[in-house]
Amino acid sequence: QVQLVESGGGLVQAGGSLRLSCVASGSIFGINNMGWFRQAPGKQRELVASITRFSSTNYVDSVKGRFTISRDNAKNTVYLQMDSLKPEDTAVYYCNADIRTYGSSWSKYWGQGTQVTVSS
């Protein structure tokens, strides 16, 4: 069984920063791509940033230059450093990872989500 647990969300003023963390635990054989998605009220879930096992990154245009995704493979952890936050960044942020467990094939796992609220 695999769990993804996010932390680091909260309330911040516009222009401020937050750092999200997501730790994967369980019977993990390997982790490939990891990423952060977000979903604002009334909107579809969107990919914010992703990172490959070899740290190649990808960002949605709206966060380029403000957000930085990174990972620590030894700790099965992915981070999202969010700077210069804007009210439109307000959403529930979800961690996502492609994980292979012992004796199984690759599957996509999701965290429970962490709320980020940016006040104007």
Side-chain angles (χ1 to χ4, degrees):
Q1 188 175 358
V2 172
Q3 278 192 317
L4 298 182
V5 179
E6 300 115 331
S7 61
L11 173 64
V12 64
Q13 288 188 330
S17 298
L18 284 173
R19 188 191 194 209
L20 305 183
S21 300
C22 172
V23 181
S25 63
S27 299
I28 297 172
F29 178 79
I31 302 178
N32 199 355
N33 293 341
M34 305 184 82
W36 290 94
F37 288 70
R38 67 185 179 187
Q39 188 166 19
K43 294 188 176 181
Q44 288 189 330
R45 189 174 296 190
E46 66 169 350
L47 175 64
V48 176
S50 63
I51 185 167
T52 68
R53 182 178 181 181
F54 302 103
S55 295
S56 176
T57 60
N58 182 56
Y59 298 91
V60 67
D61 286 346
S62 60
V63 308
K64 285 181 180 177
R66 300 189 297 121
F67 290 10
T68 303
I69 189 171
S70 60
R71 65 190 285 172
D72 185 334
N73 291 333
K75 296 181 179 180
N76 291 340
T77 300
V78 61
Y79 306 97
L80 186 67
Q81 177 67 41
M82 305 186 293
D83 298 319
S84 302
L85 282 161
K86 303 176 180 180
E88 51 263 44
D89 294 318
T90 295
V92 178
Y93 284 70
Y94 297 90
C95 173
N96 168 273
D98 295 325
I99 296 175
R100 182 178 178 183
T101 57
Y102 289 97
S104 184
S105 59
W106 294 94
S107 296
K108 196 172 292 292
Y109 292 87
W110 292 90
Q112 80 286 355
T114 185
Q115 177 70 46
V116 171
T117 303
V118 184
S119 63
S120 56

